[in-house]
């Protein structure tokens, strides 16, 4: 296998950070009880409780689609509905898994340009119908940061949770990049979750530097009833659970969870700053977390592709660049230089 130059098409292109690998090796040092009844899993759950400063119930699953889908299913009956943004990962990128695992709970979409939900949009959707023919609104899910890299402030989350409480809705947070939001806000994990009214958080590990795995954190322990059975039935109960859980101990206790995210965010800012003066290139969204979405003439994008760069254009409508814990600043600068060069090809100059 040849090692290819680093790409920024997805934060999932990154490998696992040293802390995660160290934990894997430590957890591999001997045998341990299976199916999560081991000391590593206990310690990882305690690390989350310390980090979040509350006695939450914690579960470990393989990926984000399962985390979101099972968390939403646990908040819903099949005749309920889930309010989300039209750009939400649960709607656009989970292949109907939330509906599947909830046995049919319907997603109600709020149109949104930047991926954010607003209290007004929630109120409109939740009160559009109250008759028996329409699936009863039961949950709101927000993505922090959104799929377009927009970070909800504490005030915004509080305003959303206030509407949820008023209308009898539970609040779920898809935190596939939760650490990046904490890094951007400079607040405690508690402040932007349970203290702001979030009931359940899916905390992404994969995009934060783990090899694999996400945590589902129930701040309201009553909502976690039988969640272990739900995980098992969905094929999400790891028999050697310690390999999913132990990396979190190192990630959290060492502070790498936050450092990794700060680094990704800083690299996004770095790229944005280095292309800011190019008239042919615009930011599609403000850079608030670890992504940069660029709008540029198709010829510029083609030239970038010809220079070997990979990027997606099906999310948000622009060319997306994502920066993970391992983003090499020199490679970010190379990308910026290549964008600059692509803008100067004769046809465009
Ligand atoms: C990556 C991501 C997920 C999880 O995706 P999986 O591929 O299932 O792990 C969930 N939500 C958002 C917003 C994501 O970006």
């Amino acid at each position: 296998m040849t090692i290819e130059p680093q790409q920024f098409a997805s934060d999932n292109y990154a490998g696992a950070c040293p802390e995660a690998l160290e934990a894997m090796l430590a957890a591999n040092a001997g045998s341990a009880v299976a199916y999560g009844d081991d000391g590593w899993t206990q310690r990882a759950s305690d690390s989350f409780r310390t980090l979040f400063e509350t006695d939450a119930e914690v579960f470990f699953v393989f990926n984000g689609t399962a985390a979101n889908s099972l968390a939403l299913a646990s908040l819903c009956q099949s005749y309920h509905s889930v309010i989300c943004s039209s750009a939400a990962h649960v709607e656009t990128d989970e292949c109907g898994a939330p509906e599947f695992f909830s046995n049919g709970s319907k997603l109600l979409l709020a149109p949104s340009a930047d991926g954010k939900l607003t209290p007004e949009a929630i109120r409109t959707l939740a009160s559009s119908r109250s008759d028996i023919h329409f699936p009863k609104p039961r949950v709101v899910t927000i993505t922090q940061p959104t799929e377009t890299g927009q970070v909800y402030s504490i005030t915004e989350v509080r305003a959303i949770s206030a509407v949820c409480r008023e209308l009898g809705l539970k609040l779920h947070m898809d935190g596939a990049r939760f650490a990046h939001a904490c890094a951007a806000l400079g607040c405690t994990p508690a402040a932007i979750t349970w203290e702001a009214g979030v009931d359940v958080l899916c905390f992404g590990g994969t995009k934060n530097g783990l090899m694999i795995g996400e945590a589902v954190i129930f701040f309201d322990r009553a909502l976690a009833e039988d969640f272990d059975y739900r995980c098992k039935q969905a094929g999400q109960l790891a028999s050697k659970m310690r390999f999913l859980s132990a990396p979190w101990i190192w990630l959290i206790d060492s502070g790498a969870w936050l450092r990794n995210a700060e680094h990704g965010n800083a690299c996004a800012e770095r790229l944005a700053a280095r292309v800011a003066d190019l008239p042919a290139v615009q930011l599609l969204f403000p850079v608030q977390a670890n992504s940069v979405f660029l709008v540029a003439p198709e010829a510029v994008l083609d030239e970038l592709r010809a220079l070997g760069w990979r990027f997606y254009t099906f999310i948000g409508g622009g060319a997306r660049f994502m920066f993970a814990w391992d983003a090499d600043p020199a490679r970010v600068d190379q990308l910026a230089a290549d964008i600059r060069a692509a803008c100067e090809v004769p046809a465009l100059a």
Side-chain angles (χ1 to χ4, degrees):
M1 275 286 291
T2 52
I3 305 284
E4 291 175 20
Q6 188 174 51
Q7 294 284 347
F8 303 121
S10 166
D11 28 8
N12 282 335
Y13 278 34
C17 68
E19 290 82 358
L21 289 178
E22 215 182 301
M24 285 279 192
L25 287 176
N28 198 42
S31 68
V33 183
Y35 296 108
D37 291 327
D38 61 281
W40 303 105
T41 303
Q42 183 60 45
R43 266 185 65 191
S45 302
D46 287 341
S47 289
F48 274 111
R49 287 188 271 268
T50 304
L51 181 67
F52 281 89
E53 306 168 74
T54 189
D55 190 25
E57 190 87 82
V58 182
F59 299 86
F60 302 96
V61 298
F62 292 106
N63 64 25
T65 298
N68 283 336
S69 301
L70 297 175
L72 291 174
S74 73
L75 301 175
C76 279
Q77 297 292 332
S78 58
Y79 50 83
H80 283 142
S81 53
V82 176
I83 293 173
C84 67
S85 147
S86 56
H89 197 269
V90 291
E91 158 67 8
T92 62
D93 290 288
E94 298 190 356
C95 198
E99 296 91 329
F100 176 77
F101 283 113
S102 60
N103 287 311
S105 303
K106 187 177 168 65
L107 299 183
L108 303 182
L109 310 183
S112 168
D114 64 358
K116 273 192 185 175
L117 270 183
T118 60
E120 299 70 41
I122 293 166
R123 188 183 296 283
T124 302
L125 271 176
S127 53
S128 63
R129 291 268 295 268
S130 57
D131 58 273
I132 201 159
H133 305 285
F134 194 72
K136 190 176 180 184
R138 177 72 176 145
V139 184
V140 169
T141 175
I142 57 176
T143 311
Q144 173 75 317
T146 68
E147 292 70 10
T148 64
Q150 304 306 290
V151 177
Y152 287 93
S153 67
I154 294 173
T155 307
E156 286 174 317
V157 175
R158 282 181 178 271
I160 285 173
S161 74
V163 172
C164 289
R165 270 195 300 277
E166 180 195 327
L167 302 175
L169 306 168
K170 298 293 177 202
L171 182 57
H172 165 263
M173 181 178 276
D174 173 354
R177 300 185 182 89
F178 178 72
H180 299 86
C182 292
L185 291 167
C187 71
T188 64
I192 193 65
T193 56
W194 63 274
E195 286 180 359
V198 172
D199 296 299
V200 184
L201 168 71
C202 294
F203 190 142
T206 315
K207 287 170 181 150
N208 195 201
L210 297 191
M211 191 178 293
I212 188 170
E214 320 277 301
V216 184
I217 304 171
F218 287 86
F219 300 112
D220 177 352
R221 295 180 77 101
L223 296 173
E225 196 187 339
D226 290 347
F227 194 74
D228 43 353
Y229 287 90
R230 205 177 276 285
C231 288
K232 173 67 190 183
Q233 186 183 47
Q236 290 288 327
L237 178 66
S239 48
K240 295 186 183 178
M241 182 70 89
R242 65 187 183 281
F243 292 110
L244 275 190
S245 58
W248 283 106
I249 304 171
W250 269 252
L251 196 75
I252 294 172
D253 294 359
S254 71
W257 73 278
L258 191 59
R259 280 195 304 277
N260 287 351
E262 284 168 347
H263 178 76
N265 290 0
C267 287
E269 283 219 14
R270 187 181 180 104
L271 178 68
R274 276 165 175 63
V275 300
D277 64 319
L278 294 173
V281 174
Q282 268 90 47
L283 289 180
L284 186 54
F285 303 104
V287 174
Q288 296 182 355
N290 65 328
S291 56
V292 175
F293 289 76
L294 296 179
V295 192
E298 203 47 44
V300 171
L301 300 186
D302 282 343
E303 181 63 17
L304 269 182
R305 291 186 188 99
L307 289 168
W309 289 101
R310 291 167 184 260
F311 49 88
Y312 298 150
T313 52
F314 69 88
I315 302 163
R320 186 191 76 158
F321 298 95
M322 301 288 326
F323 302 93
W325 67 274
D326 68 338
D328 175 2
R331 194 65 185 147
V332 178
D333 292 349
Q334 181 66 55
L335 173 57
D338 283 351
I339 293 171
R340 187 168 295 276
C343 289
E344 282 161 9
V345 295
L348 295 159

